[in-house]
């Protein structure tokens, strides 16, 4: 793991008046966009490109190669420390390097997607916006609650926001994908798909059982590289495999699209309050309906009876998998385009950034020593 010296960043001319200068801090674990696994990194890379396309000047702090449309790139690690995912040292090194680089930049807002980075927000003169990509309970929830109003936190679903009202939420913006990059297929193959990380929370074993009960073949693709994932796969998934239940390995971007486009339905028997399931919108973009349990963001993402079926009892899952073939693939695609395409997400963040930046400027104007409002307040005169 090599840490390059913090670069000296030139100060460019001020962008057009209506443009924002946005510094985006990505997590340190994968380059943007990721070559394989990396859901958060995919969202961040797409957001960076979309904001740049909308005319904003974006500085990206990340690891590995510069592969986005950001105007500047601050490289913290030559090679992303992916093999050390979850260990503290890369996180704090990344935060320290980002803090030093951003101190020399004239930006309007910092959008931080890392874990340790928000700790530096209190010392900044510009607002720090944080997107909560993960759970908001447990230690992570306590961490962001204790950060208080030093950060402005964005939820990725209303369900996530409701779980912890103690966090300083400023809004909600659903995640999105480049819908046009997903192939639309109207004629489907006669199998169900499960796609994700092999964990009891994701319910792959339940998906196999439901498909088998419905008399349908199921294809499974997903990540099983970590010890817990391997152990769960061997215990619960491998014994269930057979002629009607096939595991095809971890899917790269091309295979994922092929599998999603061909499936008659995506099985999503989620077992936890997942804040947002990217695979659901990827499936709908391909014209493939989603069959899911109503946990986490599912009721916000799936238009029940149109882009999928949301069933409240696992016992009804087999029947729903059978009925999903009657849903119109074109409606699924349209639902993804209208609600979860990149321009929708970028516009949501742009509105939030403008509101926060203008609010911050107003506060500064009032609290400035030269402000007439401040002088009146000091004299006890209501402003």
């Amino acid at each position: 793991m090599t840490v390059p010296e913090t670069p000296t960043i030139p100060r460019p001319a001020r962008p057009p008046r209506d443009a924002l200068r946005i510094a985006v801090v990505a997590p340190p674990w994968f380059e943007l966009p990721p070559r394989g696994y990396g859901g958060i990194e995919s969202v961040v890379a797409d957001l960076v490109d979309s904001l740049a396309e909308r005319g904003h000047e974006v500085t990206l702090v990340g690891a590995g190669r510069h592969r986005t449309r950001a105007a500047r790139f601050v490289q913290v690690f030559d090679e992303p420390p992916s093999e050390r995912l979850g260990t503290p040292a890369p996180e704090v090194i990344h935060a320290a390097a980002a803090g030093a680089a951003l101190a020399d930049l004239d930006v309007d807002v910092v959008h931080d997607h890392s874990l340790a980075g928000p700790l530096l927000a209190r010392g900044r003169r510009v607002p720090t916006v944080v997107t909560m990509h993960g759970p908001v309970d447990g230690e992570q929830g306590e961490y962001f609650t204790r950060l208080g109003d030093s950060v402005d936190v964005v939820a990725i679903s209303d369900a996530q926001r409701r779980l912890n009202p103690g966090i300083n939420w400023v809004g909600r913006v659903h995640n999105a994908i480049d819908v046009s990059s997903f192939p639309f297929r109207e004629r489907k193959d006669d199998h169900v798909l499960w796609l994700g990380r092999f964990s009891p929370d994701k319910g792959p074993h339940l998906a196999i059982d439901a498909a088998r009960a419905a008399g349908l073949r199921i294809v499974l693709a997903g990540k099983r590289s970590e010890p817990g994932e391997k152990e769960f796969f061997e215990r619960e998934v491998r014994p269930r495999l057979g002629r009607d239940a096939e595991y095809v390995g971890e899917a790269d971007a091309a295979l994922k699209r092929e599998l999603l486009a061909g499936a008659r339905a995506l099985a999503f028997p989620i077992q936890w309050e997942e804040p947002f399931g990217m695979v659901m919108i990827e499936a709908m973009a391909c014209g493939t309906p989603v069959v899911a349990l109503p946990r986490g963001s599912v009721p916000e993402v799936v238009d029940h009876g149109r882009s999928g079926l949301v069933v409240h009892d696992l016992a009804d899952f087999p029947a729903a998998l059978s009925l999903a073939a009657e849903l119109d693939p074109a409606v699924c695609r349209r639902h993804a385009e209208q609600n979860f395409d990149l321009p929708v997400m970028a516009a949501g963040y742009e509105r939030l950034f403008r509101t926060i930046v203008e609010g911050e400027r107003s506060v500064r104007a009032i609290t400035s020593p030269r402000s007439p409002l401040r002088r009146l307040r000091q004299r006890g005169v209501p402003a």
Side-chain angles (χ1 to χ4, degrees):
M1 180 180 72
T2 305
V3 184
E5 293 182 6
T6 302
T8 301
I9 302 171
R11 298 176 183 272
R14 188 70 185 173
R17 189 173 180 182
D18 61 344
L20 293 170
R21 285 185 164 183
I22 306 164
V24 177
V25 182
W29 309 112
F30 303 97
E31 67 181 19
L32 271 63
R35 286 170 282 190
Y37 181 78
I40 296 174
E41 287 77 10
S42 293
V43 171
V44 177
D46 285 338
L47 179 58
V48 166
D49 288 347
S50 298
L51 291 171
E53 288 174 3
R54 295 173 77 88
H56 302 294
E57 188 177 275
V58 183
T59 297
L60 174 63
V61 181
R65 297 172 293 172
H66 182 198
R67 301 170 60 222
T68 73
R69 296 179 186 173
R72 299 184 202 79
F73 179 60
V74 179
Q75 184 193 60
V76 178
F77 298 103
D78 291 329
E79 288 291 331
S82 306
E83 73 285 351
R84 300 184 63 190
L85 179 63
T87 59
E91 271 283 358
V92 294
I93 292 171
H94 187 69
L102 296 180
D104 293 331
L105 275 181
D106 181 15
V107 298
D108 298 310
V109 62
V110 174
H111 190 193
D112 203 322
H113 299 265
S114 70
L115 181 63
L119 290 168
L120 303 176
R122 201 174 294 279
R124 283 195 188 109
R125 60 176 183 78
V126 298
T128 297
V129 176
V130 176
T131 296
M132 283 293 291
H133 292 283
V136 295
D137 55 359
E139 290 183 335
Q140 181 157 305
E142 181 180 359
Y143 168 46
F144 281 93
T145 301
R146 289 181 180 272
L147 286 172
D149 62 3
S150 67
V151 293
D152 296 315
V153 186
V154 179
I156 56 176
S157 67
D158 294 326
Q160 181 193 45
R161 187 172 180 169
R162 288 193 298 268
L163 285 174
N164 191 339
I167 291 175
N168 184 40
W169 301 111
V170 295
R172 183 270 296 154
V173 181
H174 284 141
N175 285 338
I177 56 173
D178 180 3
V179 173
S180 66
S181 74
F182 285 81
F184 172 73
R185 265 186 62 180
E186 188 167 8
R187 295 176 65 89
K188 303 294 184 181
D189 300 328
D190 198 28
H191 68 266
V192 171
L193 175 67
W194 179 92
L195 181 66
R197 177 173 54 84
F198 282 96
S199 160
D201 289 340
K202 302 286 189 176
H205 55 312
L206 303 177
I208 295 173
D209 292 347
R212 188 164 281 151
L216 296 170
R217 178 171 170 264
I218 185 169
V219 173
L220 300 98
K223 174 178 170 290
R224 60 182 186 102
S225 57
E226 297 180 33
E229 295 164 353
K230 292 177 180 177
E231 190 276 330
F232 172 75
F233 183 90
E234 295 300 325
R235 186 183 74 248
E236 297 291 347
V237 178
R238 189 179 295 283
R240 288 175 162 87
L241 298 179
R243 295 181 62 184
D244 61 348
E246 179 187 6
Y247 171 58
V248 295
E250 183 173 347
D252 60 14
L255 179 59
K256 176 174 70 172
R257 284 162 169 77
E258 179 185 338
L259 292 171
L260 286 168
R264 63 180 283 154
L266 175 77
F268 197 70
I270 196 73
Q271 295 296 293
W272 72 296
E273 305 305 319
E274 185 163 11
F276 198 91
M278 294 294 291
V279 69
M280 290 190 288
I281 61 177
E282 293 171 341
M284 293 185 295
C286 294
T288 299
V290 178
V291 176
L293 296 175
R295 302 289 297 270
S297 67
V298 166
E300 298 172 50
V301 175
V302 179
D303 186 357
H304 177 65
R306 292 174 57 79
S307 70
L309 297 170
V310 182
V311 296
H312 291 260
D313 193 324
L314 195 59
D316 297 326
F317 219 88
L321 290 175
S322 297
L323 290 171
E326 300 179 15
L327 299 179
D328 187 346
V331 172
C332 296
R333 174 77 168 203
R334 191 158 55 247
H335 181 65
E337 289 173 334
Q338 293 174 348
N339 297 279
F340 306 107
D341 207 357
L342 292 182
V344 180
M345 178 176 67
Y349 276 108
E350 184 182 74
R351 285 192 296 271
L352 272 176
F353 291 157
R354 289 196 187 283
T355 300
I356 292 166
V357 168
E358 290 304 318
E360 182 73 14
R361 287 171 180 165
S362 298
V363 169
R364 283 188 203 161
I366 293 171
T367 57
S368 167
R370 306 172 107 184
S371 167
L373 289 175
R374 179 173 178 178
R375 290 198 296 271
L376 287 172
R377 283 179 175 171
Q378 288 173 337
R379 294 173 189 167
V381 180

